[in-house]
Amino acid sequence: MMNKFSFIKSLALLLLVGFTCFCYAQKTSSPRIVNIVNFIRDIEPREAHVTKDVLYETVVNQIKLMKQYQLGGTFLLQYDALIDERYATLLKTLPKGEFEIGAWWELPQPLIEKAGIKWRGKYAWDWHSDVGFSVGYTPAEREKIIDVYFADFKKIFGYYPKSVASWVIDAHSLNYMYDKYHIVATANCKDQVGTDGFTLWGGYWNQAYYPSRVNAYMPAQHTQKQLPVPVFRMLGSDPIRQYADGRSVTTLEPVYKHAGGNEQWINWFFDSFANDPSLGFNYTQAGQENSFTWNDMKKGLEMQMPIIARLRDEGKVRVETMGASGEWFKKTYKVTPATTFAVSKDLGESDKKTIWYNSRFYRLNLLWEEGTMRIADIHLFNETIPDKYFKGVTTVNQSFFYTLPVVDGFQWGKAGKPTGLRLLTLENGEVIPLKGGDPVFTNVDASTVHISWPCGKGSFEIDLKENTMNITTKGTPASNWYFELAVSENAKVPLIGVQANQISYNFDGHAYQLVAKKGLFSKPGNTALVQLKPVSGSITLQLADL
């Protein structure tokens, strides 16, 4: 029979174990954060039927639907909407804490002219990059524009906006908004090539990052070089299809009938978002700009909102304002964290699986398809490289934001058929792709994810860390395995040299390397660009441009 002392000792031990487990769960849990962000324009010159009243009623209906499911969110005002009294009157009725009012950073005629700058647009709101966005104005002009907007916002709402978002925004503007007005969160467009004149390609793929002080798109590596305002990636990209054709729009936006307006896609996306393993935290932005009108977004939003509400009620997601997410991010992370977005079961009959790994040093994508595996994407980050518009100005209807490509499956492949470093082997003198089972994703610690891929009579064991990738084998998954990079005929690849322990690149005037700490690079005799072979059964890549 247990005596009193033994009982107390055992109870204390149980409490200590329970507390330790609780703390470990708290430290290793991966929040799933949903921001419902609707941004508001008061001018829409592209469609005659999209009147001011149509735009306004769209916002009224968005609010009504969100309130129906007790979902809060963020409304971002373009300047023309900011100065329309109807929106201020409407938005001031929303409960503070549940809803947030911020700035949508497209620049219409009334704002530009009030800043003392000549308007160059064809319409009162002109969506072209060189007219309607900050990259079309000099740094000095940007400061004047910001001062006018923020002053008028404060006159109307009594405070400065904490959240500012735009399809594209430059580092000078973000620095000024933070240093003078203390914004806490910003957001930019998903990765895409050329859509609506915006190219953002190779960046921190999802979630959020601290940008370099000189480059709004480039994650910083060190606190002294970073702007301490998280940049959230907008629109809820399909982790597989959006990348396979970077010119497509396969996102959570409810107006797209193949994606955010499709019930099957919506259920699949949120199931993966909420339930698949995620390192750090997972993030998505729901909502829609009012220019698309209520008639076009109604069906998609009416499918999405109850799903988001259910996941919230089940404790699987957090629904909060962008400002709240920005404040949480800053309290939680001193530098850009490592995160993943994994898909263990694709949509419909597709057998594809994928994982996106992001850190402050690089991003990497692994894709499994028809039993094969390839490294579809690797881009390195360098905080010292300024964006093109840090001091410069675009004079055309395009803007370009890049990082440093090492493997670019979309740009170096064909639309819908990205290339990459494919895992191959020699069998009876014939080169064939290795085939295996389903990968298993496991979070090891705050910055490491482990992937185990069963293959042959063994498995490939992959560790993605903050600045390295390590590949080893268990058992005998294959003999003579290696990776090979082949690209399409007209691909513009910045590779300039191959040595045994590194590949050298030069992209947009910047030289950098991919270093094999373990493994050997070579130039094959076939049409491929490079091969990467293991040494003593393993490969370790240094993934930091330092």
Side-chain angles (χ1 to χ4, degrees), residues 162-424:
K162 295 294 186 183
S163 296
V164 181
S166 184
W167 300 132
V168 295
I169 193 166
D170 65 284
H172 184 90
S173 293
L174 287 181
N175 286 329
Y176 191 75
M177 290 176 184
Y178 171 73
D179 292 335
K180 186 170 182 177
Y181 297 105
H182 312 300
I183 63 170
V184 301
T186 184
N188 62 16
C189 187
K190 70 185 188 320
D191 264 31
Q192 61 182 34
V193 177
T195 305
D196 296 329
F198 312 128
T199 292
L200 305 93
W201 197 253
Y204 197 99
W205 185 78
N206 195 54
Q207 285 96 329
Y209 63 93
Y210 288 124
S212 161
R213 276 277 189 173
V214 299
N215 192 326
Y217 185 62
M218 184 79 74
Q221 287 74 61
H222 305 93
T223 55
Q224 62 270 30
K225 295 282 188 179
Q226 75 185 16
L227 179 66
V229 177
V231 181
F232 292 91
R233 303 308 306 274
M234 295 179 68
L235 303 179
S237 287
D238 185 315
I240 294 173
R241 277 155 287 276
Q242 178 61 42
Y243 182 81
D245 185 355
R247 293 179 177 84
S248 70
V249 182
T250 308
T251 68
L252 196 56
E253 293 172 272
V255 296
Y256 294 106
K257 293 181 173 56
H258 64 289
N262 180 284
E263 185 175 10
Q264 184 186 20
W265 188 94
I266 294 167
N267 283 316
W268 164 79
F269 178 86
F270 277 114
D271 181 63
S272 181
F273 173 79
N275 296 313
D276 273 326
S278 179
L279 185 69
F281 75 102
N282 213 347
Y283 173 83
T284 195
Q285 176 253 314
Q288 188 79 69
E289 64 214 82
N290 65 335
S291 292
F292 277 107
T293 77
W294 182 247
N295 284 340
D296 287 344
M297 70 181 72
K298 177 178 184 289
K299 182 179 178 181
L301 287 180
E302 288 180 343
M303 288 188 285
Q304 292 181 23
M305 294 300 121
I307 294 173
I308 295 171
R310 173 178 57 78
L311 292 171
R312 175 205 57 198
D313 294 343
E314 292 173 354
K316 292 185 175 181
V317 305
R318 286 179 6 207
V319 182
E320 59 194 27
T321 66
M322 186 188 298
S325 296
E327 290 172 346
W328 167 83
F329 188 96
K330 193 168 181 178
K331 288 177 183 176
T332 306
Y333 302 112
K334 299 297 184 184
V335 294
T336 296
T339 64
T340 61
F341 195 135
V343 175
S344 60
K345 174 68 175 68
D346 195 14
L347 182 66
E349 299 301 315
S350 170
D351 73 336
K352 293 178 182 178
K353 290 95 180 167
T354 196
I355 187 167
W356 283 94
Y357 179 95
N358 306 278
S359 78
R360 58 194 164 123
F361 296 101
Y362 73 100
R363 81 173 193 187
L364 184 147
N365 178 236
L366 289 168
L367 181 70
W368 289 263
E369 181 178 14
E370 296 178 352
T372 69
M373 186 189 84
R374 68 176 179 270
I375 304 171
D377 186 278
I378 304 174
H379 279 74
L380 303 183
F381 304 146
N382 186 317
E383 65 195 3
T384 67
I385 301 174
D387 67 50
K388 293 177 181 292
Y389 316 105
F390 182 58
K391 295 182 178 179
V393 174
T394 186
T395 58
V396 296
N397 180 29
Q398 293 187 69
S399 54
F400 302 93
F401 291 85
Y402 293 110
T403 61
L404 302 175
V406 170
V407 177
D408 195 330
F410 170 66
Q411 299 261 48
W412 302 350
K414 295 180 180 179
K417 295 183 179 180
T419 185
L421 279 165
R422 298 177 184 274
L423 184 55
L424 306 174

Side-chain angles (χ1 to χ4, degrees), residues 40-41 43 77-81 103-115 117-139 141-150 164-170 173 177 198:
I40 304 171
R41 301 187 182 107
I43 303 169
L77 291 163
Q78 193 168 281
Y79 185 78
D80 45 297
W104 179 250
W105 210 245
E106 291 184 56
L107 314 178
Q109 185 175 359
L111 175 58
I112 298 303
E113 291 183 340
K114 190 167 183 180
I117 302 166
K118 183 179 179 181
W119 178 246
R120 295 177 274 110
K122 292 182 180 180
Y123 313 99
W125 168 62
D126 191 321
W127 53 93
H128 294 89
S129 293
D130 55 329
V131 176
F133 292 84
S134 61
V135 294
Y137 298 86
T138 67
E141 289 174 330
R142 294 169 205 169
E143 293 180 11
K144 292 179 182 178
I145 295 165
I146 291 166
D147 286 340
V148 168
Y149 185 100
F150 276 66
V164 181
S166 184
W167 300 132
V168 295
I169 193 166
D170 65 284
S173 293
M177 290 176 184
F198 312 128

